[in-house]
Amino acid sequence: MYVLPTPPSEAFIVEQCQCAADYIREQASGSWRVLLILGSGLGPLAEAVEDGVAIPYSAIPGFAASTVAGHAGRLVLGELCGQRVVVMQGRQHFYEGYPLWQITLPVRVARLLGVETLIITNAAGGINRAFAVGDVMVITDHINLVGMGGHNPLIGPNVSMFGPRFPEMTTAYDAALIELARQVAQASKLPLRFGVYACVAGPSFETPAELRFLRAIGADAVGMSTVHEVIAARHAGMRVLGLSGITNVARLSADEGEPPSHEEVMHAAQVIAPKMQQLIQGVLLRM
Ligand code: HPA
């Protein structure tokens, strides 16, 4: 019989977070304002960071490695558009086998470093029929199918140092940051989509029937990440801006289009990265 692993104690998580934060402070001192998490193929955005200190995840106590192609697996701390930013060049995913408390540890560590805002990006499949490959979607809300299925990063003892037992999620995606993104896009004539992101566990892509189900329940895009970090960030009182790069469009029946692949996702991410960069830089400048 499969038994769910016992979640670690509150004291253990606090200690892990503090060790990681202490280590990062030794490499890059001072307080930080924004955590930027870069998804599949979007890592090159970190190259715009000035005077950056790069730390591989493998060197940071408690940080899990990022095992997926397109995820460099390092933290870059420096200045971007006048903001002191912590950039995650690559993330950990549930499908890599990591428990969600470990996937969300970097968010909590960032909070200990002073971060108040999370800007989180991902590659996603477009479900909304109006969406095309290369589009950027601002996440207005999410459907956490992994969480609804019993895998929420806050399961286990509440780590009260960060937030309450039952954090509310009706305001998960910050209205002011969404408005800022809209203004930046308008000013730079960058077309922008808005919609609901559905999180699935992966790593297998969805069947056509699953994609039709996702469309029926109100999802505009689907991916295998993001919501866990958003939950940890909201628990810790951070405000969140979420951006999805549409790297492929959903195949709602087996006789349309081509099956998705990681190569296709990585290829489309190259087209999306400059748009994301423009948008994120504009938001940072106006924050
Ligand atoms: N499904 C799930 N995750 C994804 C997809 C998709 O089609 N594209 C990029 N990430």
Side-chain angles (χ1 to χ4, degrees):
M1 185 181 72
Y2 177 72
V3 181
L4 272 178
T6 311
S9 70
E10 182 178 2
F12 177 82
I13 292 183
V14 168
E15 192 194 320
Q16 290 274 303
C17 291
Q18 280 171 342
C19 280
D22 288 346
Y23 178 82
I24 294 164
R25 280 194 204 99
E26 282 166 21
Q27 317 295 314
S29 60
S31 186
W32 302 90
R33 252 197 105 195
V34 178
L35 172 63
L36 177 55
I37 302 183
L38 300 177
S40 294
L42 301 171
L45 294 191
E47 272 138 44
V49 174
E50 289 161 37
D51 302 324
V53 174
I55 315 173
Y57 295 159
S58 57
I60 308 172
F63 268 48
S66 181
T67 64
V68 189
H71 290 256
R74 58 183 203 157
L75 211 59
V76 179
L77 298 99
E79 205 165 301
L80 188 59
C81 301
Q83 306 284 354
R84 283 174 59 82
V85 295
V86 179
V87 185
M88 285 185 71
Q89 225 176 355
R91 60 150 62 81
Q92 298 80 17
H93 302 83
F94 189 50
Y95 62 73
E96 291 173 86
Y98 297 121
L100 291 178
W101 69 265
Q102 194 163 28
I103 288 170
T104 52
L105 183 113
V107 173
R108 289 174 155 176
V109 171
R111 184 74 198 94
L112 293 183
L113 297 173
V115 166
E116 288 163 350
T117 303
L118 168 66
I119 301 180
I120 188 161
T121 69
N122 59 56
I127 292 175
N128 187 320
R129 286 294 203 190
F131 290 6
V133 170
D135 280 354
V136 174
M137 182 189 91
V138 174
I139 305 176
T140 55
D141 202 348
H142 76 218
I143 300 172
N144 182 7
L145 290 164
V146 178
M148 293 175 118
H151 295 279
N152 185 298
L154 305 181
I155 286 176
N158 181 44
V159 187
S160 54
M161 180 178 121
F162 289 107
R165 172 76 291 188
F166 301 108
E168 78 89 22
M169 289 294 287
T170 66
T171 56
Y173 298 89
D174 190 81
L177 289 173
I178 291 174
E179 174 55 21
L180 216 52
R182 198 192 58 74
Q183 286 171 13
V184 170
Q186 196 175 32
S188 24
K189 298 199 169 21
L190 196 83
L192 204 57
R193 306 290 193 177
F194 296 85
V196 174
Y197 175 90
C199 174
V200 295
S204 49
F205 286 104
E206 302 72 40
T207 65
E210 286 167 344
L211 290 163
R212 292 193 301 272
F213 162 74
L214 293 174
R215 185 178 59 169
I217 62 171
D220 295 294
V222 57
M224 305 172 189
S225 68
T226 301
V227 302
H228 322 299
E229 296 101 316
V230 170
I231 290 170
R234 291 301 297 150
H235 179 245
M238 294 159 73
R239 49 189 207 141
V240 176
L241 176 66
L243 302 170
S244 291
I246 305 300
T247 53
N248 55 290
V249 288
R251 215 176 170 211
L252 296 172
S253 84
D255 54 14
E256 66 178 48
E258 291 294 317
S261 68
H262 189 58
E263 290 67 37
E264 179 190 22
V265 168
M266 296 301 293
H267 183 74
Q270 283 175 18
V271 178
I272 293 163
K275 297 185 195 177
M276 283 270 194
Q277 180 157 350
Q278 202 179 1
L279 196 58
I280 291 168
Q281 289 183 332
V283 169
L284 289 173
L285 280 170
R286 287 167 204 235
M287 261 174 60

